[in-house]
């Protein structure tokens, strides 16, 4: 029962006693004048409108009673006195004090907004006269509410503090106390099922272990009613058609802190289905419906299947515009042979059409943008399936926080309805800034602007700038998800970057890259989509260091000059498939998403390679309200070269290698520190590679050095698990804006093409471990980390707090323990 209903139920209309009514002989006169005394805020004319007596009327005791009742009914007066001064009628009134302020104190289980809503329903609000007669009933109604949630020691007091000018402060003081805990639940009369079987699915529990923090041990009347239905359904779903809960006893300890519950049940016997008959108008689909019905002759009666059958037929008819069908199951019970015949009566009603689709709550997004994501059409049949799919599509928009819909029947037109989508938007544009610090990266800064709903058009526009110590970059992106009315999307990007590997966690090289790309997407259905793209890149590499893994790539461009810069052009074609059944665009708690991408450079490119990446995420709700959920994610990647150019076998350019470490891959590690690192050969104290010498050859004294910098690899496997939990000390209204999770990340990056065995017998040089052999197998051991993450999308922008610890790390992998990002939303 809602709080307002509980309070209203306790409100009893009361009539005030008539004060100082004139005696019979005093009231028998003709009124020559009327005088009202005691008015302060109420105008004389307004007061006289409530007085059923005029000058010239003969006044008697009945008319006096009428006058007093009428003045009280105006709700302006706390007391009314009727007197006679000669032939003048004198009305003395005391106005009700005006409420100056309402204060709630001590309320934990009831929000201030809920309390004020209840008071509003009883006319108690700031600026209005205070009717003291309803305060007691409000107090009792609130106590009833607390009793319904098991707080039997709760008390509510209304305190009125007088103020000057006939004003008062109203304080509702709450002493909620602790809720009564369930000490024991007993089920009496059950023979076929044990207590543990029946209580396994109950929401109310008792004597639970300390670690079972999801169980509810606090008594609540509504929850008990739901649990009684659960017990009944347990029997009804197993053929016990005559099952009944005969009585329920709820007893309390003398201290009112413990509850004992007893359910007395009659199980009856099991019934089987003797036959199923469909009657009524099924619009010619009788044969199809009969084939898919779960109800079968000879099987045990199952109430859940009966309910499912009714809902299935109703939804099936709803596809054809019959939105309000009546499907009723009539059982014919035969107690002699314990069978039941089920007759399903179907009345489809009238076919319903949609007159208009309205959107409410969108202050930024244009109606046309929302309408593009709605499958239900105006003028067409009303389809529940189309409405639900429309709600899902709208909910997956990143700039939508909540989406609900309702249908409103049009008076005088039984076959038409209006559909109202009620939406709540959330910030879609952000100015984001990042700050970080690492042993090698030192202080880094970055900034960007992105609008997922540019000017309310649903188009995505982004400008990202980065000026960290190792990279300066700029990128402009654009995407129109509804370039055509059919949902074909069109997008593009332009980017430029200058990179210095000496200041980053990668091998030594400098690069300049200019890229221009475009993509087009086609919807397969409401959850599947395919995209095609083409990106042109111009890359220049210079100031390159020597590493064994990069020499094959460098040699095809240098022409014998190890200092020459490397320049190449590439045309990268890509195709991707995506599937999305998530329940929300941001902070989803249920559903899944998958994306597979394959990209390959065209044969006219200066480098020939391909890459494929697969990402998937699954959300598994652990609670009915989706506040507890588990996220499982996996990312796989592989790339390599294909063919040869001018006799040079193609490999994946090391600049395209996969890397791991950082917020988007392996939290707990610095960016790009996980995976293979550069290998350098030395002989006689100098590098072998730059001088054109090769290994092994005659370099019997060759030694190996391992760079502390990451090189990445052509293969990648990353995964993780996250337990999403309610954020402590955060209001429930912020569930869609704040997310807290405990995570475990695992994964690694490796190189499948480089022959590490060729170097296994070499010892290390110029390090503290000089003379020791290198264990390359360590590079294929997976790394893992765990930590706590809090994400917050606030009116001031997106913020991420992450505390993480590397569990399995290799010497040289920088572990990261704390990260912080903050952004500004506009």
């Amino acid at each position: 029962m809602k709080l307002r209903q509980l309070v209203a139920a306790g409100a009893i209309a009361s009539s005030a006693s008539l004060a100082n009514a004139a005696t019979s002989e005093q009231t028998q006169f003709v009124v020559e004048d009327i005088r009202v005394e005691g008015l302060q805020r109420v105008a004389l004319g307004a007061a006289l409108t409530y007085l059923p007596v005029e000058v010239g009327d003969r006044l008697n005791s009945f008319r006096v009673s009428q006058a007093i009742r009428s003045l009280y009914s105006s709700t302006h007066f706390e007391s009314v006195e009727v007197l006679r001064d000669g032939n003048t009628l004198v009305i003395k009134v005391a106005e009700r004090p005006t409420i100056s302020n309402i204060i709630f104190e001590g309320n934990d289980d009831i929000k201030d907004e809920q309390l004020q809503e209840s008071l509003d329903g009883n006319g108690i609000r700031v600026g209005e006269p205070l009717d003291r007669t309803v305060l007691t009933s409000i107090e009792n109604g609130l106590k009833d509410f607390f009793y319904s949630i098991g707080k039997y020691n709760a008390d509510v007091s209304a305190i009125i503090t007088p103020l000057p000018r006939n004003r008062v402060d109203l304080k509702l003081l709450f002493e909620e106390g602790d809720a009564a805990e369930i000490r024991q639940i007993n089920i009496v009369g059950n023979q076929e099922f044990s207590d543990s079987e029946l209580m396994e699915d109950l929401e109310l529990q008792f004597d639970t272990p300390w670690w079972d923090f999801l169980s509810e041990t606090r008594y609540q009347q509504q929850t008990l009613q739901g649990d009684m239905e659960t017990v009944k359904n347990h029997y009804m779903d197993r053929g016990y058609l005559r099952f009944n809960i005969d009585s329920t006893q709820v007893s309390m300890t003398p201290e009112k802190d413990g509850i004992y519950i007893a359910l007395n049940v009659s199980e009856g016997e099991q019934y089987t289905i003797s036959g199923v008959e469909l009657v009524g108008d099924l619009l010619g689909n009788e044969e199809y419906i009969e084939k898919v019905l779960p109800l079968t002759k000879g099987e045990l009666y199952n109430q859940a299947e009966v309910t499912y059958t009714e809902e299935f037929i109703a939804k099936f008819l709803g596809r054809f515009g019959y939105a309000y069908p009546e499907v009723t199951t009539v059982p014919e019970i035969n107690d002699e042979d314990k069978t039941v015949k089920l007759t399903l009566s179907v009345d489809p009603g009238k076919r319903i059409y949609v007159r208009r689709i309205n959107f409410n709550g969108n202050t930024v997004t244009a109606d046309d943008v929302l309408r593009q994501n709605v499958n239900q059409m105006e003028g067409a049949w009303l389809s529940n399936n189309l409405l639900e799919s429309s709600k899902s599509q709208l909910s997956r928009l990143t700039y939508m926080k909540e989406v609900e819909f309702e249908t409103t029947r049009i008076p005088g037109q039984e076959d038409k309805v209006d559909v109202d989508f009620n939406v709540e938007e959330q910030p879609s544009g952000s100015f984001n800034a990042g700050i970080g610090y690492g042993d090698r990266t030192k202080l880094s800064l970055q900034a960007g602007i992105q609008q997922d709903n540019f000017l309310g058009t649903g188009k995505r526009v982004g400008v990202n700038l980065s000026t960290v110590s190792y990279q300066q970059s700029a990128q402009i992106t654009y995407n129109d998800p509804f370039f055509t009315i059919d949902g074909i999307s069109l997008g593009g990007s332009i980017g430029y970057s200058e990179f210095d590997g000496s200041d980053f966690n990668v091998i030594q090289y400098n690069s300049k890259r200019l890229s221009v790309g475009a993509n087009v997407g086609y919807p397969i259905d409401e959850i599947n989509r395919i995209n095609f793209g083409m990106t042109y890149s111009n890359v220049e590499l210079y100031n390159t260091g020597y590493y064994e893994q990069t020499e094959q790539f460098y040699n095809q461009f240098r022409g014998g000059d190890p200092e020459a810069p490397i320049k190449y052009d590439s045309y990268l074609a890509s195709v991707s498939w995506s599937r999305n059944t998530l329940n929300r665009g941001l902070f989803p708690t249920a559903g899944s998403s998958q994306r597979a991408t394959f990209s390959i450079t065209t044969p006219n490119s200066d480098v020939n390679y391909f890459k494929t990446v697969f990402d998937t995420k699954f959300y598994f709700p652990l609670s009915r309200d989706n506040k507890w959920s588990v996220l499982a994610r996996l990312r796989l990647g592989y790339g390599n070269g294909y063919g040869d150019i001018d006799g040079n076998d193609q490999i994946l350019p090391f600049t395209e290698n996969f890397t791991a470490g950082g917020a988007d891959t392996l939290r707990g590690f610095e960016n790009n520190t996980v995976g293979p690192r550069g290998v350098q050969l030395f002989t006689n104290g100098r590098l072998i590679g730059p001088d054109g010498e090769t290994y092994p050859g005659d370099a019997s004294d060759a030694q190996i050095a391992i760079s502390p910098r990451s090189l990445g690899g052509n293969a990648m496997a990353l995964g993780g698990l996250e337990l999403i939990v309610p954020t402590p000390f955060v209001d429930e209204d912020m569930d869609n804006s704040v997310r807290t999770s405990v995570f475990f990340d695992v994964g690694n990056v490796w190189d499948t093409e480089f022959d590490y065995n060729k170097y296994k017998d070499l010892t290390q040089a110029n390090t503290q471990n000089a003379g020791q052999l290198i264990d390359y197998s360590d590079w294929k051991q997976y790394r893992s980390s765990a930590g706590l993450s809090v994400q917050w999308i606030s009116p001031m922008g997106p913020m991420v707090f992450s505390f993480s610890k590397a569990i399995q790390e290799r010497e040289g992998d920088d572990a990261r323990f704390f990260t912080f990002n903050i952004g500004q939303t506009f």
Side-chain angles (χ1 to χ4, degrees):
M1 184 180 296
K2 294 182 178 178
L3 175 61
R4 178 187 288 184
Q5 294 172 321
L6 286 168
V7 175
I12 302 175
S14 60
S15 58
S17 60
L18 306 181
N20 298 324
T23 62
S24 175
E25 58 274 12
Q26 287 177 314
T27 60
Q28 297 294 325
F29 70 95
V30 176
V31 177
E32 296 181 356
D33 191 17
I34 300 175
R35 187 170 71 247
V36 182
E37 299 177 354
L39 294 177
Q40 295 180 359
R41 295 183 308 274
V42 181
L44 176 60
L48 292 177
T49 60
Y50 293 101
L51 192 64
V53 178
E54 297 179 356
V55 173
D57 291 347
R58 176 172 291 278
L59 194 66
N60 54 39
S61 59
F62 175 74
R63 300 291 293 275
V64 169
S65 299
Q66 277 188 319
I68 293 175
R69 290 192 180 93
S70 179
L71 289 170
Y72 271 118
S73 68
S74 70
T75 71
H76 293 298
F77 307 113
E78 195 164 55
S79 66
V80 177
E81 188 176 3
V82 178
L83 301 172
R84 176 182 177 181
D85 183 7
N87 290 332
T88 299
L89 177 64
V90 180
I91 309 294
K92 288 188 176 182
V93 297
E95 293 183 356
R96 288 178 176 173
T98 301
I99 300 174
S100 176
N101 193 22
I102 299 177
I103 303 170
F104 306 112
E105 186 176 309
N107 53 305
D108 294 326
D109 274 349
I110 312 178
K111 299 179 182 179
D112 288 359
E113 294 80 5
Q114 291 176 292
L115 289 169
Q116 188 58 59
E117 182 181 355
S118 298
L119 294 180
D120 288 345
N122 289 275
I124 305 295
R125 59 176 67 89
V126 173
E128 296 291 332
L130 174 63
D131 185 357
R132 301 174 189 267
T133 63
V134 302
L135 288 181
T136 300
S137 58
I138 289 176
E139 292 173 348
N140 293 335
L142 290 171
K143 290 178 184 178
D144 289 341
F145 169 78
F146 284 114
Y147 295 164
S148 71
I149 61 174
K151 292 194 171 184
Y152 294 99
N153 290 312
D155 189 31
V156 182
S157 302
I159 301 175
I160 301 173
T161 304
L163 298 174
R165 301 191 304 277
N166 198 28
R167 296 176 301 123
V168 295
D169 276 348
L170 173 61
K171 177 189 285 187
L172 287 178
L173 182 61
F174 297 83
E175 295 181 9
E176 295 186 354
D178 296 326
E181 296 285 330
I182 300 174
R183 301 287 177 83
Q184 193 170 3
I185 301 176
N186 294 316
I187 301 178
V188 181
N190 53 310
Q191 301 294 329
E192 300 296 333
F193 302 100
S194 65
D195 289 358
S196 59
E197 286 180 282
L198 295 176
M199 288 189 286
E200 183 178 359
D201 296 327
L202 299 188
E203 190 171 347
L204 294 178
Q205 298 288 332
F206 70 97
D207 194 25
T208 58
W210 64 269
W211 47 263
D212 189 3
F213 46 81
L214 290 178
S215 62
E216 179 59 77
T217 59
R218 186 175 70 171
Y219 173 74
Q220 297 189 48
Q221 184 178 359
Q222 285 181 296
T223 306
L224 176 59
Q225 294 296 326
D227 283 345
M228 291 169 62
E229 284 296 316
T230 300
V231 173
K232 182 177 180 180
N233 292 336
H234 183 90
Y235 278 91
M236 298 288 283
D237 294 347
R238 291 161 178 79
Y240 293 89
L241 189 56
R242 294 295 193 185
F243 172 82
N244 186 53
I245 298 179
D246 299 325
S247 62
T248 305
Q249 290 85 39
V250 178
S251 56
M252 189 185 313
T253 60
E255 296 79 13
K256 298 183 179 181
D257 60 353
I259 295 291
Y260 292 87
I261 301 173
L263 302 179
N264 299 290
V265 303
S266 298
E267 293 180 325
E269 298 187 34
Q270 288 180 308
Y271 286 73
T272 58
I273 299 174
S274 61
V276 180
E277 182 180 0
L278 291 171
V279 298
D281 185 5
L282 294 171
L283 309 177
N285 296 288
E286 291 84 355
E287 184 177 351
Y288 170 77
I289 294 178
E290 287 176 354
K291 289 181 179 180
V292 298
L293 289 184
L295 301 174
T296 306
K297 179 180 178 179
E299 291 187 353
L300 286 176
Y301 175 84
N302 188 316
Q303 181 62 44
E305 290 187 352
V306 171
T307 302
Y308 169 80
T309 300
E310 293 175 347
E311 293 176 350
F312 169 79
I313 295 176
K315 290 181 179 180
F316 180 80
L317 296 176
R319 299 180 184 177
F320 305 100
Y322 297 90
Y324 304 104
E326 293 184 4
V327 184
T328 306
T329 303
V330 181
E332 297 180 23
I333 303 174
N334 189 329
D335 290 320
E336 294 183 2
D337 58 5
K338 300 301 182 290
T339 62
V340 56
K341 179 184 177 182
L342 301 178
T343 301
L344 283 84
S345 176
V346 180
D347 179 8
K350 290 187 176 181
R351 175 172 282 174
I352 307 299
Y353 295 84
V354 176
R355 184 186 69 167
R356 185 178 297 114
I357 296 177
N358 304 310
F359 298 94
N360 304 311
N362 52 313
T363 58
V364 176
T365 310
D367 281 8
D368 291 344
V369 175
L370 299 179
R371 201 175 300 275
Q372 289 170 344
N373 292 275
V374 173
N375 298 323
Q376 176 70 61
M377 296 290 103
E378 292 178 342
W381 301 334
L382 176 66
S383 171
N384 291 331
N385 287 347
L386 294 179
L387 290 179
E388 289 293 343
S389 65
S390 300
K391 175 185 174 181
S392 297
Q393 287 189 205
L394 289 170
S395 298
R396 285 193 284 267
L397 297 175
T398 57
Y399 42 89
M400 284 296 138
K401 185 177 182 180
E402 289 288 345
V403 179
E404 297 294 340
F405 69 85
E406 59 183 357
T407 58
T408 305
R409 307 194 77 160
I410 301 172
Q413 301 185 55
E414 297 182 359
D415 62 341
K416 290 184 179 180
V417 296
D418 284 344
V419 178
D420 295 314
F421 282 93
N422 301 305
V423 303
E424 182 181 353
E425 296 172 309
Q426 62 186 3
S428 60
S430 63
F431 168 76
N432 58 74
I435 182 171
Y437 184 85
D439 291 340
R440 298 190 182 96
T441 61
K442 304 306 180 184
L443 184 66
S444 60
L445 301 170
Q446 62 184 26
I449 299 175
Q450 179 164 311
Q451 253 284 2
D452 288 351
N453 187 20
F454 183 67
L455 299 179
T457 62
K459 299 175 182 178
R460 179 178 300 171
V461 177
V463 178
N464 288 283
L465 305 173
S466 175
T467 58
V468 297
S469 60
Y470 56 85
Q471 187 177 41
Q472 294 78 45
S473 65
Q475 186 180 39
I476 300 175
T477 59
Y478 171 85
N479 185 69
D480 183 354
F482 281 91
F483 181 67
T484 71
I485 195 173
D486 298 324
I488 296 177
S489 64
L490 179 66
S493 64
I494 300 175
Y496 178 79
S497 67
E498 294 185 4
F499 178 81
D500 184 357
S502 62
D503 289 331
F504 196 45
N505 297 323
V506 295
I507 60 174
Q508 168 60 50
Y509 74 93
N510 288 55
S511 71
K512 296 180 180 179
R513 178 187 292 265
L514 172 66
S515 62
V516 179
N519 62 81
V520 60
Y522 297 88
I524 301 174
D525 54 35
E526 61 193 42
I527 63 173
N528 291 278
R529 190 176 189 86
I530 188 168
N531 287 270
F532 300 93
M534 177 66 74
T535 301
Y536 164 76
S537 297
N538 175 267
V539 181
E540 179 182 352
L541 305 177
Y542 58 97
N543 194 24
T544 57
Y546 156 70
Y547 303 93
E548 286 291 289
Q549 296 99 320
T550 63
E551 284 305 285
Q552 181 179 348
F553 177 74
Y554 287 155
N555 288 337
Q556 63 180 312
F557 297 100
R558 280 176 169 164
D561 183 0
E563 301 298 327
I566 296 170
K567 298 181 180 180
Y568 62 88
D569 295 330
S570 66
Y571 301 87
L572 187 68
S574 64
V575 58
S576 65
W577 160 79
S578 60
R579 179 179 181 274
N580 190 340
T581 63
L582 299 176
N583 61 339
R584 284 200 294 262
L586 289 175
F587 294 166
T589 55
S592 67
S593 67
Q594 293 79 36
R595 183 177 181 86
T597 302
F598 178 79
S599 56
I600 186 170
T601 57
T602 59
N604 61 323
S605 301
D606 294 335
V607 289
N608 288 345
Y609 67 90
F610 67 89
K611 292 177 71 175
T612 182
V613 178
F614 175 73
D615 282 284
T616 183
K617 294 181 179 180
F618 286 90
Y619 289 86
F620 303 96
L622 299 180
S623 60
R624 296 177 182 177
D625 56 9
N626 285 0
K627 291 183 179 180
W628 295 80
S629 184
V630 171
L631 164 62
R633 56 185 177 84
L634 175 67
R635 187 181 190 193
L636 304 174
Y638 178 77
N640 214 329
Y642 73 91
D644 65 85
I645 297 178
D646 298 331
N648 296 304
D649 289 338
Q650 294 295 289
I651 62 173
L652 182 70
F654 72 91
T655 56
E656 302 294 334
N657 276 352
F658 298 108
T659 58
D664 296 329
T665 53
L666 278 175
R667 290 163 285 190
F669 294 89
E670 288 285 358
N671 290 334
N672 306 328
T673 57
V674 177
R677 288 172 287 181
V679 175
Q680 296 176 315
L681 288 181
F682 288 83
T683 180
N684 299 324
R686 56 189 176 86
L687 285 171
I688 292 179
D691 292 338
E693 300 183 38
T694 59
Y695 173 79
D698 296 329
S700 57
D701 62 341
Q703 289 184 309
I704 192 171
I706 303 299
S707 169
R709 303 183 182 279
S710 171
L711 179 72
N714 70 321
M716 169 188 65
L718 302 171
L721 290 173
E722 290 192 39
L723 174 62
I724 301 168
V725 301
T727 304
F729 314 114
V730 172
D731 194 278
E732 291 182 1
D733 296 338
M734 297 292 291
D735 283 346
N736 293 343
S737 300
V738 182
R739 164 159 292 181
T740 301
S741 64
V742 180
F743 64 82
F744 173 77
D745 292 346
V746 63
N748 208 354
V749 174
W750 64 95
D751 194 331
T752 64
E753 296 299 307
F754 188 68
D755 186 7
Y756 294 99
N757 290 326
K758 180 180 177 180
Y759 307 86
K760 65 180 181 179
D761 296 328
L762 297 184
T763 59
Q764 298 186 62
N766 302 324
T767 70
Q768 62 180 357
N769 298 318
Q772 296 184 11
L773 294 175
I774 301 295
D775 184 9
Y776 291 104
S777 63
D778 180 57
W779 285 349
K780 293 187 180 181
Q781 298 296 317
Y782 287 99
R783 311 296 162 199
S784 59
S785 64
L788 172 69
S789 176
V790 179
Q791 304 173 60
W792 179 21
I793 300 179
S794 73
M796 295 184 62
M799 303 181 183
V800 178
F801 301 87
S802 178
F803 298 85
S804 51
K805 175 66 173 70
I807 299 175
Q808 182 189 16
E809 55 183 304
R810 178 186 57 199
E811 182 181 355
D813 288 342
D814 289 344
R816 182 171 57 181
F817 300 93
F818 172 75
T819 60
F820 171 71
N821 291 295
I822 183 172
Q824 176 64 50
T825 297
F826 63 89

